[in-house]
PDB file of all heavy atoms in Angstrom:
ATOM      1  N   ASN D   1     106.537 110.266  81.252  1.00 98.00           N
ATOM      2  CA  ASN D   1     107.845 109.590  81.441  1.00 98.00           C
ATOM      3  C   ASN D   1     108.928 110.534  81.016  1.00 98.00           C
ATOM      4  O   ASN D   1     110.019 110.157  80.504  1.00 98.00           O
ATOM      5  CB  ASN D   1     107.891 108.306  80.603  1.00 98.00           C
ATOM      6  CG  ASN D   1     109.010 107.428  80.977  1.00 98.00           C
ATOM      7  OD1 ASN D   1     109.429 107.359  82.115  1.00 98.00           O
ATOM      8  ND2 ASN D   1     109.595 106.703  79.949  1.00 98.00           N
ATOM      9  N   GLU D   2     108.721 111.856  81.217  1.00 98.00           N
ATOM     10  CA  GLU D   2     109.578 112.885  80.639  1.00 98.00           C
ATOM     11  C   GLU D   2     110.987 112.975  81.273  1.00 98.00           C
ATOM     12  O   GLU D   2     111.883 113.470  80.648  1.00 98.00           O
ATOM     13  CB  GLU D   2     108.891 114.226  80.769  1.00 98.00           C
ATOM     14  CG  GLU D   2     107.662 114.329  79.850  1.00 98.00           C
ATOM     15  CD  GLU D   2     106.721 115.479  80.163  1.00 98.00           C
ATOM     16  OE1 GLU D   2     106.999 116.595  79.654  1.00 98.00           O
ATOM     17  OE2 GLU D   2     105.776 115.316  80.920  1.00 98.00           O
ATOM     18  N   TYR D   3     111.139 112.458  82.441  1.00 98.00           N
ATOM     19  CA  TYR D   3     112.462 112.609  83.136  1.00 98.00           C
ATOM     20  C   TYR D   3     113.239 111.270  83.218  1.00 98.00           C
ATOM     21  O   TYR D   3     114.235 111.193  83.815  1.00 98.00           O
ATOM     22  CB  TYR D   3     112.279 113.134  84.548  1.00 98.00           C
ATOM     23  CG  TYR D   3     111.962 114.649  84.557  1.00 98.00           C
ATOM     24  CD1 TYR D   3     110.686 115.102  84.495  1.00 98.00           C
ATOM     25  CD2 TYR D   3     113.020 115.587  84.570  1.00 98.00           C
ATOM     26  CE1 TYR D   3     110.413 116.453  84.472  1.00 98.00           C
ATOM     27  CE2 TYR D   3     112.807 116.930  84.528  1.00 98.00           C
ATOM     28  CZ  TYR D   3     111.487 117.398  84.473  1.00 98.00           C
ATOM     29  OH  TYR D   3     111.215 118.732  84.451  1.00 98.00           O
ATOM     30  N   SER D   4     112.640 110.204  82.570  1.00 95.00           N
ATOM     31  CA  SER D   4     113.281 108.920  82.611  1.00 95.00           C
ATOM     32  C   SER D   4     114.080 108.649  81.338  1.00 95.00           C
ATOM     33  O   SER D   4     113.792 109.259  80.285  1.00 95.00           O
ATOM     34  CB  SER D   4     112.202 107.833  82.812  1.00 95.00           C
ATOM     35  OG  SER D   4     111.431 108.111  83.961  1.00 95.00           O
ATOM     36  N   LYS D   5     115.074 107.809  81.457  1.00 95.00           N
ATOM     37  CA  LYS D   5     115.972 107.506  80.328  1.00 95.00           C
ATOM     38  C   LYS D   5     115.584 106.295  79.555  1.00 95.00           C
ATOM     39  O   LYS D   5     116.173 106.009  78.531  1.00 95.00           O
ATOM     40  CB  LYS D   5     117.392 107.410  80.859  1.00 95.00           C
ATOM     41  CG  LYS D   5     117.949 108.722  81.440  1.00 95.00           C
ATOM     42  CD  LYS D   5     119.380 108.483  82.012  1.00 95.00           C
ATOM     43  CE  LYS D   5     119.902 109.778  82.638  1.00 95.00           C
ATOM     44  NZ  LYS D   5     121.264 109.622  83.219  1.00 95.00           N
ATOM     45  N   THR D   6     114.658 105.520  80.049  1.00 97.00           N
ATOM     46  CA  THR D   6     114.171 104.313  79.356  1.00 97.00           C
ATOM     47  C   THR D   6     112.668 104.265  79.380  1.00 97.00           C
ATOM     48  O   THR D   6     112.035 104.986  80.204  1.00 97.00           O
ATOM     49  CB  THR D   6     114.765 103.039  80.065  1.00 97.00           C
ATOM     50  OG1 THR D   6     114.367 103.056  81.444  1.00 97.00           O
ATOM     51  CG2 THR D   6     116.249 103.002  79.928  1.00 97.00           C
ATOM     52  N   PRO D   7     112.067 103.494  78.534  1.00 98.00           N
ATOM     53  CA  PRO D   7     110.561 103.424  78.484  1.00 98.00           C
ATOM     54  C   PRO D   7     109.982 102.869  79.786  1.00 98.00           C
ATOM     55  O   PRO D   7     110.598 102.150  80.528  1.00 98.00           O
ATOM     56  CB  PRO D   7     110.282 102.489  77.282  1.00 98.00           C
ATOM     57  CG  PRO D   7     111.506 102.494  76.465  1.00 98.00           C
ATOM     58  CD  PRO D   7     112.682 102.621  77.480  1.00 98.00           C
ATOM     59  N   VAL D   8     108.733 103.186  80.029  1.00 98.00           N
ATOM     60  CA  VAL D   8     107.952 102.608  81.084  1.00 98.00           C
ATOM     61  C   VAL D   8     106.800 101.795  80.453  1.00 98.00           C
ATOM     62  O   VAL D   8     106.073 102.347  79.626  1.00 98.00           O
ATOM     63  CB  VAL D   8     107.424 103.646  82.125  1.00 98.00           C
ATOM     64  CG1 VAL D   8     106.585 104.687  81.448  1.00 98.00           C
ATOM     65  CG2 VAL D   8     106.623 102.931  83.251  1.00 98.00           C
ATOM     66  N   GLU D   9     106.668 100.545  80.841  1.00 98.00           N
ATOM     67  CA  GLU D   9     105.630  99.690  80.330  1.00 98.00           C
ATOM     68  C   GLU D   9     104.446  99.649  81.284  1.00 98.00           C
ATOM     69  O   GLU D   9     104.653  99.308  82.473  1.00 98.00           O
ATOM     70  CB  GLU D   9     106.142  98.257  80.078  1.00 98.00           C
ATOM     71  CG  GLU D   9     107.225  98.185  79.042  1.00 98.00           C
ATOM     72  CD  GLU D   9     107.742  96.794  78.788  1.00 98.00           C
ATOM     73  OE1 GLU D   9     107.350  95.878  79.607  1.00 98.00           O
ATOM     74  OE2 GLU D   9     108.568  96.578  77.916  1.00 98.00           O
ATOM     75  N   ILE D  10     103.248  99.986  80.825  1.00 98.00           N
ATOM     76  CA  ILE D  10     102.085  99.942  81.673  1.00 98.00           C
ATOM     77  C   ILE D  10     101.115  98.912  81.088  1.00 98.00           C
ATOM     78  O   ILE D  10     100.719  98.950  79.909  1.00 98.00           O
ATOM     79  CB  ILE D  10     101.442 101.350  81.684  1.00 98.00           C
ATOM     80  CG1 ILE D  10     102.369 102.302  82.463  1.00 98.00           C
ATOM     81  CG2 ILE D  10     100.112 101.302  82.375  1.00 98.00           C
ATOM     82  CD1 ILE D  10     101.939 103.743  82.470  1.00 98.00           C
ATOM     83  N   LYS D  11     100.740  97.964  81.956  1.00 98.00           N
ATOM     84  CA  LYS D  11      99.779  96.868  81.560  1.00 98.00           C
ATOM     85  C   LYS D  11      98.396  97.376  81.497  1.00 98.00           C
ATOM     86  O   LYS D  11      97.618  96.994  80.577  1.00 98.00           O
ATOM     87  CB  LYS D  11      99.928  95.715  82.494  1.00 98.00           C
ATOM     88  CG  LYS D  11     101.274  94.975  82.492  1.00 98.00           C
ATOM     89  CD  LYS D  11     101.242  93.847  83.500  1.00 98.00           C
ATOM     90  CE  LYS D  11     102.573  93.095  83.520  1.00 98.00           C
ATOM     91  NZ  LYS D  11     102.532  92.009  84.506  1.00 98.00           N
ATOM     92  N   SER D  12      98.033  98.206  82.455  1.00 98.00           N
ATOM     93  CA  SER D  12      96.673  98.730  82.535  1.00 98.00           C
ATOM     94  C   SER D  12      96.573  99.827  83.597  1.00 98.00           C
ATOM     95  O   SER D  12      97.398  99.929  84.482  1.00 98.00           O
ATOM     96  CB  SER D  12      95.630  97.636  82.859  1.00 98.00           C
ATOM     97  OG  SER D  12      95.886  97.054  84.123  1.00 98.00           O
ATOM     98  N   VAL D  13      95.537 100.665  83.428  1.00 99.00           N
ATOM     99  CA  VAL D  13      95.212 101.753  84.388  1.00 99.00           C
ATOM    100  C   VAL D  13      93.725 101.741  84.611  1.00 99.00           C
ATOM    101  O   VAL D  13      92.986 101.780  83.657  1.00 99.00           O
ATOM    102  CB  VAL D  13      95.659 103.116  83.878  1.00 99.00           C
ATOM    103  CG1 VAL D  13      95.413 104.154  84.924  1.00 99.00           C
ATOM    104  CG2 VAL D  13      97.172 103.109  83.503  1.00 99.00           C
ATOM    105  N   TYR D  14      93.279 101.715  85.878  1.00 98.00           N
ATOM    106  CA  TYR D  14      91.879 101.905  86.140  1.00 98.00           C
ATOM    107  C   TYR D  14      91.660 102.998  87.181  1.00 98.00           C
ATOM    108  O   TYR D  14      92.527 103.264  88.005  1.00 98.00           O
ATOM    109  CB  TYR D  14      91.181 100.629  86.566  1.00 98.00           C
ATOM    110  CG  TYR D  14      91.723  99.935  87.770  1.00 98.00           C
ATOM    111  CD1 TYR D  14      91.233 100.181  89.070  1.00 98.00           C
ATOM    112  CD2 TYR D  14      92.737  98.912  87.642  1.00 98.00           C
ATOM    113  CE1 TYR D  14      91.704  99.499  90.132  1.00 98.00           C
ATOM    114  CE2 TYR D  14      93.214  98.250  88.762  1.00 98.00           C
ATOM    115  CZ  TYR D  14      92.680  98.529  90.001  1.00 98.00           C
ATOM    116  OH  TYR D  14      93.128  97.883  91.115  1.00 98.00           O
ATOM    117  N   ILE D  15      90.580 103.687  87.067  1.00 98.00           N
ATOM    118  CA  ILE D  15      90.222 104.762  87.945  1.00 98.00           C
ATOM    119  C   ILE D  15      88.961 104.396  88.731  1.00 98.00           C
ATOM    120  O   ILE D  15      88.193 103.567  88.273  1.00 98.00           O
ATOM    121  CB  ILE D  15      90.028 106.124  87.266  1.00 98.00           C
ATOM    122  CG1 ILE D  15      88.871 105.980  86.193  1.00 98.00           C
ATOM    123  CG2 ILE D  15      91.285 106.612  86.566  1.00 98.00           C
ATOM    124  CD1 ILE D  15      88.485 107.316  85.579  1.00 98.00           C
ATOM    125  N   ALA D  16      88.811 104.995  89.922  1.00 98.00           N
ATOM    126  CA  ALA D  16      87.647 104.715  90.794  1.00 98.00           C
ATOM    127  C   ALA D  16      87.453 105.833  91.771  1.00 98.00           C
ATOM    128  O   ALA D  16      88.419 106.481  92.146  1.00 98.00           O
ATOM    129  CB  ALA D  16      87.811 103.326  91.405  1.00 98.00           C
ATOM    130  N   THR D  17      86.282 105.928  92.276  1.00 98.00           N
ATOM    131  CA  THR D  17      86.021 106.868  93.404  1.00 98.00           C
ATOM    132  C   THR D  17      86.768 106.329  94.618  1.00 98.00           C
ATOM    133  O   THR D  17      86.662 105.154  94.959  1.00 98.00           O
ATOM    134  CB  THR D  17      84.522 106.952  93.701  1.00 98.00           C
ATOM    135  OG1 THR D  17      83.841 107.430  92.531  1.00 98.00           O
ATOM    136  CG2 THR D  17      84.268 107.842  94.863  1.00 98.00           C
ATOM    137  N   ALA D  18      87.586 107.183  95.262  1.00 98.00           N
ATOM    138  CA  ALA D  18      88.361 106.806  96.400  1.00 98.00           C
ATOM    139  C   ALA D  18      87.559 106.822  97.619  1.00 98.00           C
ATOM    140  O   ALA D  18      86.726 107.756  97.908  1.00 98.00           O
ATOM    141  CB  ALA D  18      89.587 107.718  96.537  1.00 98.00           C
ATOM    142  N   GLY D  19      87.781 105.821  98.557  1.00 96.00           N
ATOM    143  CA  GLY D  19      87.151 105.837  99.843  1.00 96.00           C
ATOM    144  C   GLY D  19      88.210 106.211 100.869  1.00 96.00           C
ATOM    145  O   GLY D  19      89.135 107.014 100.564  1.00 96.00           O
ATOM    146  N   ASP D  20      88.158 105.638 102.016  1.00 94.00           N
ATOM    147  CA  ASP D  20      89.151 105.898 103.061  1.00 94.00           C
ATOM    148  C   ASP D  20      90.451 105.153 102.730  1.00 94.00           C
ATOM    149  O   ASP D  20      90.432 104.038 102.206  1.00 94.00           O
ATOM    150  CB  ASP D  20      88.661 105.401 104.411  1.00 94.00           C
ATOM    151  CG  ASP D  20      87.500 106.223 104.939  1.00 94.00           C
ATOM    152  OD1 ASP D  20      87.365 107.383 104.548  1.00 94.00           O
ATOM    153  OD2 ASP D  20      86.682 105.648 105.756  1.00 94.00           O
ATOM    154  N   SER D  21      91.558 105.851 102.978  1.00 95.00           N
ATOM    155  CA  SER D  21      92.921 105.265 102.790  1.00 95.00           C
ATOM    156  C   SER D  21      93.005 104.662 101.351  1.00 95.00           C
ATOM    157  O   SER D  21      92.828 105.402 100.411  1.00 95.00           O
ATOM    158  CB  SER D  21      93.141 104.149 103.860  1.00 95.00           C
ATOM    159  OG  SER D  21      94.365 103.561 103.752  1.00 95.00           O
ATOM    160  N   CYS D  22      93.355 103.381 101.250  1.00 97.00           N
ATOM    161  CA  CYS D  22      93.569 102.713  99.947  1.00 97.00           C
ATOM    162  C   CYS D  22      92.279 102.156  99.351  1.00 97.00           C
ATOM    163  O   CYS D  22      92.321 101.624  98.247  1.00 97.00           O
ATOM    164  CB  CYS D  22      94.616 101.689 100.064  1.00 97.00           C
ATOM    165  SG  CYS D  22      94.200 100.352 101.239  1.00 97.00           S
ATOM    166  N   VAL D  23      91.185 102.292 100.039  1.00 98.00           N
ATOM    167  CA  VAL D  23      89.895 101.586  99.623  1.00 98.00           C
ATOM    168  C   VAL D  23      89.274 102.417  98.442  1.00 98.00           C
ATOM    169  O   VAL D  23      89.326 103.648  98.431  1.00 98.00           O
ATOM    170  CB  VAL D  23      88.953 101.536 100.784  1.00 98.00           C
ATOM    171  CG1 VAL D  23      87.597 100.992 100.367  1.00 98.00           C
ATOM    172  CG2 VAL D  23      89.505 100.721 101.949  1.00 98.00           C
ATOM    173  N   ILE D  24      88.685 101.659  97.508  1.00 98.00           N
ATOM    174  CA  ILE D  24      88.010 102.259  96.410  1.00 98.00           C
ATOM    175  C   ILE D  24      86.552 101.777  96.345  1.00 98.00           C
ATOM    176  O   ILE D  24      86.219 100.717  96.870  1.00 98.00           O
ATOM    177  CB  ILE D  24      88.682 102.048  95.101  1.00 98.00           C
ATOM    178  CG1 ILE D  24      88.693 100.556  94.723  1.00 98.00           C
ATOM    179  CG2 ILE D  24      90.060 102.639  95.057  1.00 98.00           C
ATOM    180  CD1 ILE D  24      89.146 100.284  93.276  1.00 98.00           C
ATOM    181  N   ASN D  25      85.710 102.497  95.673  1.00 98.00           N
ATOM    182  CA  ASN D  25      84.358 102.050  95.306  1.00 98.00           C
ATOM    183  C   ASN D  25      84.500 101.122  94.086  1.00 98.00           C
ATOM    184  O   ASN D  25      84.633 101.675  93.025  1.00 98.00           O
ATOM    185  CB  ASN D  25      83.432 103.247  95.067  1.00 98.00           C
ATOM    186  CG  ASN D  25      82.029 102.820  94.702  1.00 98.00           C
ATOM    187  OD1 ASN D  25      81.759 101.649  94.235  1.00 98.00           O
ATOM    188  ND2 ASN D  25      81.104 103.738  94.846  1.00 98.00           N
ATOM    189  N   LYS D  26      84.474  99.829  94.249  1.00 97.00           N
ATOM    190  CA  LYS D  26      84.707  98.901  93.158  1.00 97.00           C
ATOM    191  C   LYS D  26      83.718  99.093  92.055  1.00 97.00           C
ATOM    192  O   LYS D  26      84.000  98.929  90.897  1.00 97.00           O
ATOM    193  CB  LYS D  26      84.713  97.497  93.693  1.00 97.00           C
ATOM    194  CG  LYS D  26      85.830  97.152  94.613  1.00 97.00           C
ATOM    195  CD  LYS D  26      85.829  95.679  95.081  1.00 97.00           C
ATOM    196  CE  LYS D  26      84.661  95.437  96.013  1.00 97.00           C
ATOM    197  NZ  LYS D  26      84.680  94.085  96.580  1.00 97.00           N
ATOM    198  N   GLY D  27      82.525  99.418  92.373  1.00 97.00           N
ATOM    199  CA  GLY D  27      81.450  99.572  91.405  1.00 97.00           C
ATOM    200  C   GLY D  27      81.656 100.696  90.483  1.00 97.00           C
ATOM    201  O   GLY D  27      81.096 100.792  89.340  1.00 97.00           O
ATOM    202  N   SER D  28      82.499 101.720  90.895  1.00 98.00           N
ATOM    203  CA  SER D  28      82.750 102.898  90.057  1.00 98.00           C
ATOM    204  C   SER D  28      83.961 102.665  89.180  1.00 98.00           C
ATOM    205  O   SER D  28      84.248 103.558  88.287  1.00 98.00           O
ATOM    206  CB  SER D  28      82.971 104.097  90.977  1.00 98.00           C
ATOM    207  OG  SER D  28      84.215 103.990  91.652  1.00 98.00           O
ATOM    208  N   ALA D  29      84.701 101.597  89.332  1.00 98.00           N
ATOM    209  CA  ALA D  29      85.976 101.425  88.665  1.00 98.00           C
ATOM    210  C   ALA D  29      85.774 101.283  87.146  1.00 98.00           C
ATOM    211  O   ALA D  29      84.896 100.598  86.707  1.00 98.00           O
ATOM    212  CB  ALA D  29      86.721 100.196  89.200  1.00 98.00           C
ATOM    213  N   LYS D  30      86.716 101.953  86.394  1.00 98.00           N
ATOM    214  CA  LYS D  30      86.720 101.877  84.951  1.00 98.00           C
ATOM    215  C   LYS D  30      88.121 101.859  84.437  1.00 98.00           C
ATOM    216  O   LYS D  30      88.966 102.599  84.954  1.00 98.00           O
ATOM    217  CB  LYS D  30      85.951 103.004  84.281  1.00 98.00           C
ATOM    218  CG  LYS D  30      84.448 102.998  84.470  1.00 98.00           C
ATOM    219  CD  LYS D  30      83.785 104.028  83.621  1.00 98.00           C
ATOM    220  CE  LYS D  30      82.294 103.884  83.659  1.00 98.00           C
ATOM    221  NZ  LYS D  30      81.572 104.854  82.767  1.00 98.00           N
ATOM    222  N   TYR D  31      88.416 100.952  83.509  1.00 98.00           N
ATOM    223  CA  TYR D  31      89.756 100.885  82.866  1.00 98.00           C
ATOM    224  C   TYR D  31      89.887 101.956  81.810  1.00 98.00           C
ATOM    225  O   TYR D  31      88.927 102.185  81.022  1.00 98.00           O
ATOM    226  CB  TYR D  31      89.984  99.510  82.285  1.00 98.00           C
ATOM    227  CG  TYR D  31      90.376  98.451  83.285  1.00 98.00           C
ATOM    228  CD1 TYR D  31      89.432  97.720  83.936  1.00 98.00           C
ATOM    229  CD2 TYR D  31      91.735  98.218  83.619  1.00 98.00           C
ATOM    230  CE1 TYR D  31      89.726  96.751  84.925  1.00 98.00           C
ATOM    231  CE2 TYR D  31      92.070  97.231  84.488  1.00 98.00           C
ATOM    232  CZ  TYR D  31      91.046  96.487  85.166  1.00 98.00           C
ATOM    233  OH  TYR D  31      91.418  95.504  86.109  1.00 98.00           O
ATOM    234  N   LEU D  32      91.044 102.599  81.793  1.00 98.00           N
ATOM    235  CA  LEU D  32      91.328 103.541  80.709  1.00 98.00           C
ATOM    236  C   LEU D  32      91.979 102.807  79.580  1.00 98.00           C
ATOM    237  O   LEU D  32      92.519 101.701  79.703  1.00 98.00           O
ATOM    238  CB  LEU D  32      92.338 104.585  81.219  1.00 98.00           C
ATOM    239  CG  LEU D  32      91.917 105.435  82.464  1.00 98.00           C
ATOM    240  CD1 LEU D  32      92.987 106.434  82.806  1.00 98.00           C
ATOM    241  CD2 LEU D  32      90.566 106.133  82.185  1.00 98.00           C
ATOM    242  N   THR D  33      91.914 103.457  78.360  1.00 98.00           N
ATOM    243  CA  THR D  33      92.559 102.870  77.200  1.00 98.00           C
ATOM    244  C   THR D  33      93.384 104.032  76.549  1.00 98.00           C
ATOM    245  O   THR D  33      93.212 105.142  76.782  1.00 98.00           O
ATOM    246  CB  THR D  33      91.537 102.376  76.176  1.00 98.00           C
ATOM    247  OG1 THR D  33      90.669 103.437  75.774  1.00 98.00           O
ATOM    248  CG2 THR D  33      90.745 101.240  76.709  1.00 98.00           C
ATOM    249  N   PHE D  34      94.377 103.485  75.785  1.00 98.00           N
ATOM    250  CA  PHE D  34      95.308 104.362  75.099  1.00 98.00           C
ATOM    251  C   PHE D  34      95.355 103.878  73.612  1.00 98.00           C
ATOM    252  O   PHE D  34      95.854 102.815  73.379  1.00 98.00           O
ATOM    253  CB  PHE D  34      96.703 104.287  75.682  1.00 98.00           C
ATOM    254  CG  PHE D  34      96.719 104.625  77.156  1.00 98.00           C
ATOM    255  CD1 PHE D  34      96.378 103.676  78.154  1.00 98.00           C
ATOM    256  CD2 PHE D  34      97.010 105.895  77.580  1.00 98.00           C
ATOM    257  CE1 PHE D  34      96.389 103.988  79.477  1.00 98.00           C
ATOM    258  CE2 PHE D  34      97.054 106.259  78.937  1.00 98.00           C
ATOM    259  CZ  PHE D  34      96.706 105.261  79.893  1.00 98.00           C
ATOM    260  N   GLY D  35      94.683 104.659  72.735  1.00 98.00           N
ATOM    261  CA  GLY D  35      94.532 104.176  71.374  1.00 98.00           C
ATOM    262  C   GLY D  35      93.699 102.906  71.326  1.00 98.00           C
ATOM    263  O   GLY D  35      94.004 101.997  70.573  1.00 98.00           O
ATOM    264  N   LYS D  36      92.696 102.831  72.239  1.00 98.00           N
ATOM    265  CA  LYS D  36      91.755 101.735  72.357  1.00 98.00           C
ATOM    266  C   LYS D  36      92.371 100.480  72.921  1.00 98.00           C
ATOM    267  O   LYS D  36      91.714  99.398  72.851  1.00 98.00           O
ATOM    268  CB  LYS D  36      91.064 101.484  71.013  1.00 98.00           C
ATOM    269  CG  LYS D  36      90.253 102.664  70.520  1.00 98.00           C
ATOM    270  CD  LYS D  36      89.510 102.334  69.208  1.00 98.00           C
ATOM    271  CE  LYS D  36      88.722 103.509  68.705  1.00 98.00           C
ATOM    272  NZ  LYS D  36      87.977 103.226  67.470  1.00 98.00           N
ATOM    273  N   LYS D  37      93.561 100.548  73.474  1.00 98.00           N
ATOM    274  CA  LYS D  37      94.228  99.412  74.118  1.00 98.00           C
ATOM    275  C   LYS D  37      94.428  99.737  75.595  1.00 98.00           C
ATOM    276  O   LYS D  37      94.741 100.889  75.931  1.00 98.00           O
ATOM    277  CB  LYS D  37      95.544  99.074  73.465  1.00 98.00           C
ATOM    278  CG  LYS D  37      95.393  98.633  72.036  1.00 98.00           C
ATOM    279  CD  LYS D  37      96.820  98.327  71.446  1.00 98.00           C
ATOM    280  CE  LYS D  37      96.704  97.891  69.993  1.00 98.00           C
ATOM    281  NZ  LYS D  37      98.013  97.613  69.399  1.00 98.00           N
ATOM    282  N   ARG D  38      94.401  98.696  76.446  1.00 98.00           N
ATOM    283  CA  ARG D  38      94.618  98.929  77.906  1.00 98.00           C
ATOM    284  C   ARG D  38      96.086  99.146  78.179  1.00 98.00           C
ATOM    285  O   ARG D  38      96.420  99.816  79.141  1.00 98.00           O
ATOM    286  CB  ARG D  38      94.071  97.750  78.719  1.00 98.00           C
ATOM    287  CG  ARG D  38      92.537  97.750  78.827  1.00 98.00           C
ATOM    288  CD  ARG D  38      92.073  96.739  79.834  1.00 98.00           C
ATOM    289  NE  ARG D  38      90.659  96.694  80.007  1.00 98.00           N
ATOM    290  CZ  ARG D  38      89.969  95.920  80.857  1.00 98.00           C
ATOM    291  NH1 ARG D  38      90.654  95.113  81.609  1.00 98.00           N
ATOM    292  NH2 ARG D  38      88.662  95.988  80.887  1.00 98.00           N
ATOM    293  N   ASN D  39      96.888  98.534  77.468  1.00 98.00           N
ATOM    294  CA  ASN D  39      98.360  98.664  77.711  1.00 98.00           C
ATOM    295  C   ASN D  39      98.997  99.839  76.883  1.00 98.00           C
ATOM    296  O   ASN D  39      98.464 100.138  75.816  1.00 98.00           O
ATOM    297  CB  ASN D  39      99.111  97.334  77.388  1.00 98.00           C
ATOM    298  CG  ASN D  39      99.011  96.986  75.919  1.00 98.00           C
ATOM    299  OD1 ASN D  39      97.929  96.841  75.358  1.00 98.00           O
ATOM    300  ND2 ASN D  39     100.174  96.916  75.250  1.00 98.00           N
ATOM    301  N   VAL D  40     100.059 100.374  77.432  1.00 98.00           N
ATOM    302  CA  VAL D  40     100.758 101.424  76.713  1.00 98.00           C
ATOM    303  C   VAL D  40     102.202 101.462  77.153  1.00 98.00           C
ATOM    304  O   VAL D  40     102.479 101.199  78.342  1.00 98.00           O
ATOM    305  CB  VAL D  40     100.052 102.783  76.983  1.00 98.00           C
ATOM    306  CG1 VAL D  40     100.113 103.193  78.449  1.00 98.00           C
ATOM    307  CG2 VAL D  40     100.674 103.900  76.105  1.00 98.00           C
ATOM    308  N   THR D  41     103.096 101.740  76.239  1.00 98.00           N
ATOM    309  CA  THR D  41     104.537 101.948  76.599  1.00 98.00           C
ATOM    310  C   THR D  41     104.820 103.437  76.285  1.00 98.00           C
ATOM    311  O   THR D  41     104.594 103.912  75.235  1.00 98.00           O
ATOM    312  CB  THR D  41     105.455 101.069  75.740  1.00 98.00           C
ATOM    313  OG1 THR D  41     105.186  99.675  76.019  1.00 98.00           O
ATOM    314  CG2 THR D  41     106.908 101.392  76.032  1.00 98.00           C
ATOM    315  N   ILE D  42     105.326 104.089  77.353  1.00 98.00           N
ATOM    316  CA  ILE D  42     105.685 105.496  77.226  1.00 98.00           C
ATOM    317  C   ILE D  42     107.139 105.619  77.084  1.00 98.00           C
ATOM    318  O   ILE D  42     107.930 105.219  77.895  1.00 98.00           O
ATOM    319  CB  ILE D  42     105.211 106.289  78.495  1.00 98.00           C
ATOM    320  CG1 ILE D  42     103.817 105.945  78.912  1.00 98.00           C
ATOM    321  CG2 ILE D  42     105.358 107.818  78.248  1.00 98.00           C
ATOM    322  CD1 ILE D  42     103.358 106.557  80.244  1.00 98.00           C
TER     323      ILE D  42
END
């Protein structure tokens, strides 16, 4: 959030193997954490 003038609130982030276009492999999906929490404010 280095170029922004106010904080950005993130509720959650998950990663997954990408398929075609916007499709993902749902079985591969995993939520990331930040300090062991899913949400983070930058």
Side-chain angles (χ1 to χ4, degrees):
N1 193 34
E2 292 166 85
Y3 285 90
S4 306
K5 297 178 180 178
T6 57
V8 57
E9 296 178 355
I10 293 175
K11 295 180 178 179
S12 62
V13 181
Y14 58 91
I15 59 174
T17 300
D20 293 334
S21 182
C22 59
V23 177
I24 63 170
N25 179 339
K26 294 182 288 186
S28 70
K30 288 191 175 184
Y31 281 87
L32 302 181
T33 60
F34 302 84
K36 299 184 180 180
K37 296 180 180 180
R38 286 191 179 182
N39 64 300
V40 64
T41 296
I42 313 173

